Amino acid sequence: MVETMEVSRLSGGEEDEEPVTALTEARHLETITAPNTAAHSWRLKERMKTVSVALVLCLNIPVDPPDIVKTQPCARLEAWIDPLSMPPPKAIEAIGNSLQKAYERWQPRARYKQSLDPTVEDVKKLCTSLRRNAKEERVLFHYTGHGVPKPTSNGEIWVFNKSYTQYIPLSIYELQTWMGAPSIYVYDCSNAGIIVKLFEQFAEQHEEEWKHKGTSGGSSPPPPSFRQCIQLGACGAKEILPMNPDLPADMFTACLTTPISMAVRWYLLQNKGKLLQGLNLDIVDKIPGQLSDRRTMLGELNWIFTAITDTIAWNTLPRDLFQKLFRQDLLVASLFRNFLLAQRIMRSYDCTPVSSPQLPPTHQHPMWDAWDLALELCLGQLPTALRTEDPYSHVHSPFFEEQLTAFQVWLDLGHEQRHPPEQLPIVLQVLLSQVHRPRALELLGSFLALGPWAVNLVLSVGIFPYVLRLLQSSARELRPLLVFLWAKILAVDPSCKADLVREDGYKYFLKVLADPSMPAEHRTMAAFVLGVIVWEHPEGQRVALQGSLMPLCLEQVSDHHPPLRQWATLCLGRTWHHHPDARWAATRDNAHEKLYTLLSDPVPEVRGAAVFSLGTFVSSLASHERTDHARAIDHTIAITLANTVTHDGSPLVRRELVVALQYLIQMYESSFLTVARQYFRDEMIDLSPQSLTSSTDSIMSPSNSISRVFSRQGGRQVTSPNQTLGTSPDTSLTDYGHMSPGVKRTASTHSISSLGCSNVFSGVSTLSYSGMYCKLWQTLITLERDPFPAVATMAKTVVDYVRSKVVTGSRDIMEQKVESAPGTPVNKPIFLPGESPPTTLETSTPTRSRSRNHLNNHTEENDNGFMKPLVTTEFVEWSAKTFILPRQKTNDELSSPSSPLHGYSDRSLNSRLLAESEERRSVGTNKLDDQVFVHRNPGPPAVLLFHPIHPLLTVADKSNVTIWDVERSLRVSHWSNNNVGSSCISALSVINSGTPSTYVATACDDGSVRIWKDVYQSSHQATRDPPSLITAFQATLDINPATRGAGLLLSWEQDTTTLVTGGDSRTVRLWDLQAERRTMELPTGGDSTSFITALHSHQAGPWIVAGFSDGYVRVLDRRLTSNRAVVRQWREHSSWLISAHLLNASQATTKIITGVVSGEVRLWDMRQSNSVQVCAPNQEMTAMATHANAHLFATGSVNQVIGVHHASGSSVNVIKYHEGFMGQRIAPVSCLAFHPRRVLLAAGTTDSYITVYGLSRR
């Protein structure tokens, strides 16, 4: 019945629940490096302005040019003025003024000069004068040649002599010389294409002449870049301007300067216009409103026209050309928008406008249809609008709403491998409207969330000045949207922070951060934006300090939202980085003390942020600015970090600790050199780098190959009552050569970190210097032996720096003594807890200049007096990925066939569980002696562990791990555990079983835990990543170096992501692997001669059972306080416990089964004060395993026997021989393991063979 309930629960009851996983956060699945978000060149190298405009009109009213025969009637309007309606002198003057007024709509601040029917001298004088005044800015040359012959094939345009009796040619080559560069030319004349073509040749000729002048001697200014000049021509070569009397004679100029009037007139002339009744060409000039007022009909048409032409250009031109023509110069941008209209209109009259740089054809772009629709809707209302005096009475066009809807459809229907949305320029224009602005910002935010490529597109389209201007808005409903946009922008391009400081935009984010009604997510974004503004930006730090940024951030560090705590802390650290004024302001607020609480935060990123900020707090003062008070604070921070973070469960946090400690070493270098020198002297290591390495290697050399299994019996002698565990530290460190191999193996350098500072540095502690330097050096040595390679490498870099200084130190430096630093502003010394003050105290100051005089300084000092760091991390930049990268797919969304365990999921869960249940029921009738798998392991097996679900066996020898597929009889993976020194693997656990993120945890007898990913890999996978270390930490610190015991033991609880650790000590520690921190310490009591040798817990109950070397069995209840945690203890065993296992942990009648090396096995009921059952085999045990579901236990001995028993004590069978005709006797058993669900027993023997037994079918 119980089995049936279990199958039902596992297969159906919890099927819909989300599995609890650990170590699946981004910090474990990717390297902690800065994202590659190189911003594209959206920001213009230089903004240009057209400051001068030359209007050269060659009309010669009313004389027609000799080479063109005009039709009758013919186009006559010039600048919308009929030249025949007034005397010629007044007509050309009126035309000039009208053209100037049209240009002034686009650039009202330019300097305009008219030259009407000029001579060559007039043009030369005009151009040279404008270029001289414009300096390096752009000059526009507008030429209308309707009263002169067409340009010649030699590149000449025509002007007049003084008496207007002759046409005088004016070479474009000469015009280039007078105009200089940069310039823009507009040619409204027939055959304009020939000028544009020859212009390029003349530009090359000019460049060659400038080069020739440069080689002839003398220094000359750089030549003007004539090739960068812009040209717009009304028609191609050999083309004549249209003469339709319904159109103006200067149709090209009309398109460039008055596009709306020209577009409406042309639309009415087309067939489409006939659909509108009651409209004629006279109504064109009667459209109500102003171009600059978007609420009026004329202003709305101009707004739509700008959005459409921008969109056409954005989707047609290359990005750099779009930037140059449509974003660099307001007048140039307007001319090119209107030039697109000219392309469309003039092509309908067999004219092809030309330009340099050349634009692709745009006259058939689909957006023109949207323009025609918008124009028709507006013109349809025109008769009604003209009958009212209210210019705002018309119904507004739905154009922008429809385009936003199209943008939303693009976002909703997917975006992978698609062209960018063509509506981006329209969204930019919509930001100008208060009505549509919230929706536009929301859609824009959704687009930016797609990744850096989207941010770069938005920036290149020109949205930056718009969103910068929106920061002046006081609308509260826009705050979340704007904060999100700016977080995305600054994450990709931090250079925008200068604009925020210059335009006072940072104040907007200070208001958001100070607003408690804002959601925590948006305050987090505000903190990120402010953190970017102050990072390595002195002006940003200054204004942020004035804006009370630090008090605001200090209010947020206690918020319940972890990202807000993280970024408020990082913002603080960036604010006072290399900024003394900010540090003193923070000191007055006790900012550093408020950050201490974050060192134990449940989120590793928050703890890392706190360490980062405390490190920058220490390094925020240059050496010459450091006072006694500052030094006292530095020392307090250093000791707090060393005591709190050295053994943090997250490598991310420990890496930040190394970075923080290096600042202390750089600031107080001479003191640390003396500590390090004495440390090397006490270890009797030569100060040369080669001998340092060789001596350290000799200390850490592996011991003789003695199996852990057999050492347990020897361990009983080591831990006998006649011998104390706590041998003198001096003896343990100075008598390395006299130690037994077993003791020498466990006395690795990590144990140094667990001893008192005065014990490690016996010579140092007798000198007159503060224990702080000793403590910090000890911390650095501990980090150098960190189980996580990245942490150890960084710490080694710092230690090697100090070592090199010690090696190259002069005799004077060698004789210096480390001096105690002041503990308070009044020079009160600081000591470690429990440390007696030295007999002599001197004041230690960070004498950087003195040490640099004698030592080769490997670091360099900046101009501002700050030292360059020895090691750095990219944690802060990596943290910004939250605001950069798109949302990643979760593990559950990943394709299941890519999972290494996919090959085992063919059968349904129900059928597999029912088969396992039936298999367990058959234990009473079948023996467990069918050899289903046998293979030689790469090394003698020490620990075995089955995967909780699949038939995969993990085998650990001394320093390597191998995974076997026992059904397919093949090796799945193999890797080295990267043990430090001669430590050995002592325990295994499977993390996140049943999920794609399944890991293997290994524990070593030096107290370290390593967790590996990519270990369960199918052999049929095309690409197989080698197993990689996902995290590592020091789980326990009190393993006695003189003890050779069971090593570190593990018990994993998946539902609570809790790792229970113990072994070779008298304390059980609970680690939360999601938070990567120790959550509980449970002392087990007992005398100093006993330690934990067996450990087990179950996530279904609060109990932890621990077996000890002296035979005690203790049950702990984690719900109670630490001093009351032991709720039951038995002392019926008299020898070392090998195994202790909870049975029926989810039920009220929990039972415990234990076994000791003497061979005795007892069954306990937690309600009873004595054991309820005893099974005493006739041989000593070296290994024991328990199958909780099948109520079996197996024992292995050195006598080459495996016994399988029921929990009641009755024997099931005995295994002595291998199967086969020549069945050999099995070797001494070193380890055993049951599969948690199936009835499979794995055995490892000293001859490196592993064998798996199943139920016999006989």
Side-chain angles (χ1 to χ4, degrees), residues 613-850:
S613 296
L614 290 173
T616 57
F617 188 91
V618 170
S619 66
S620 58
L621 291 178
S623 300
H624 62 276
E625 297 175 331
R626 203 166 295 272
T627 64
D628 290 346
H629 183 224
R631 286 190 288 273
I633 295 176
D634 291 346
H635 297 164
T636 303
I637 292 175
I639 291 298
T640 303
L641 288 175
N643 290 336
T644 310
V645 189
T646 304
H647 299 290
D648 191 277
S650 173
L652 181 151
V653 180
R654 301 198 300 275
R655 291 180 67 189
E656 292 304 312
L657 175 62
V658 177
V659 176
L661 289 180
Q662 71 169 334
Y663 298 136
L664 272 299
I665 290 177
Q666 290 180 325
M667 291 296 174
Y668 306 96
E669 187 175 284
S670 61
S671 299
F672 280 103
L673 287 180
T674 308
V675 172
R677 188 176 302 111
Q678 188 63 46
Y679 167 75
F680 295 133
R681 184 180 302 151
D682 285 351
E683 293 294 320
M684 294 185 297
I685 297 176
D686 193 286
L687 293 181
S688 66
Q690 295 80 7
S691 60
L692 287 177
T693 304
S694 61
S695 299
T696 305
D697 293 340
S698 66
I699 292 174
M700 306 299 295
S701 62
S703 65
N704 298 332
S705 299
I706 299 179
S707 171
R708 286 182 57 257
V709 178
F710 303 114
S711 70
R712 286 174 175 168
Q713 295 181 357
R716 285 181 290 164
Q717 299 174 1
V718 172
T719 59
S720 62
N722 297 329
Q723 181 177 359
T724 60
L725 296 176
T727 57
S728 111
D730 293 339
T731 303
S732 65
L733 289 175
T734 57
D735 294 340
Y736 273 113
H738 305 290
M739 291 180 180
S740 65
V743 176
K744 182 178 180 180
R745 179 181 62 79
T746 56
S748 57
T749 305
H750 103 277
S751 60
I752 293 175
S753 65
S754 63
L755 300 177
C757 182
S758 59
N759 293 336
V760 180
F761 308 106
S762 56
V764 175
S765 61
T766 60
L767 299 179
S768 57
Y769 30 73
S770 170
M772 186 207 71
Y773 302 111
C774 181
K775 173 67 176 177
L776 296 184
W777 178 251
Q778 165 199 340
T779 300
L780 201 58
I781 293 298
T782 301
L783 292 170
E784 190 185 19
R785 302 289 182 255
D786 195 275
F788 198 76
V791 179
T793 301
M794 292 178 61
K796 186 178 185 303
T797 301
V798 181
V799 172
D800 288 346
Y801 166 77
V802 177
R803 180 184 286 116
S804 67
K805 291 300 188 79
V806 172
V807 171
T808 59
S810 66
R811 184 177 302 274
D812 293 337
I813 296 296
M814 292 286 288
E815 294 175 355
Q816 291 179 6
K817 294 183 178 181
V818 180
E819 304 160 344
S820 64
T824 64
V826 292
N827 296 339
K828 182 179 180 180
I830 180 172
F831 306 106
L832 292 175
E835 179 190 19
S836 60
T839 56
T840 305
L841 285 175
E842 299 176 3
T843 303
S844 172
T845 56
T847 55
R848 297 289 305 159
S849 58
R850 181 175 59 181

Side-chain angles (χ1 to χ4, degrees), residues 13-56:
E14 297 180 0
E15 186 176 7
D16 296 331
E17 291 187 8
E18 191 76 16
V20 179
T21 58
L23 305 176
T24 55
E25 295 81 8
R27 64 181 180 273
H28 301 296
L29 304 180
E30 60 190 33
T31 55
I32 309 298
T33 56
N36 183 16
T37 57
H40 295 182
S41 56
W42 66 271
R43 194 183 291 270
L44 299 172
K45 296 180 181 179
E46 55 177 348
R47 280 198 171 274
M48 301 196 68
K49 186 185 299 182
T50 302
V51 297
S52 300
V53 178
L55 302 178
V56 179

Side-chain angles (χ1 to χ4, degrees), residues 868-885:
K868 291 184 178 179
L870 302 167
V871 291
T872 59
T873 69
E874 296 180 346
F875 162 65
V876 181
E877 292 78 5
W878 170 83
S879 299
K881 279 188 177 181
T882 307
F883 309 99
I884 298 175
L885 300 181

Side-chain angles (χ1 to χ4, degrees), residues 968-1034:
R968 302 175 185 177
S969 190
L970 55 86
R971 191 172 75 174
V972 176
S973 59
H974 174 81
W975 72 94
S976 170
N977 195 52
N978 297 336
N979 294 358
V980 175
S982 57
S983 59
C984 299
I985 300 175
S986 57
L988 296 170
S989 283
V990 177
I991 311 294
N992 302 336
S993 61
T995 70
S997 302
T998 304
Y999 311 137
V1000 168
T1002 62
C1004 292
D1005 55 10
D1006 61 358
S1008 62
V1009 174
R1010 294 169 178 83
I1011 300 178
W1012 300 84
K1013 68 176 181 176
D1014 299 328
V1015 293
Y1016 296 108
Q1017 304 190 58
S1018 300
S1019 59
H1020 61 269
Q1021 284 182 266
T1023 58
R1024 300 179 61 184
D1025 297 328
S1028 56
L1029 187 66
I1030 198 171
T1031 188
F1033 59 94
Q1034 199 72 25

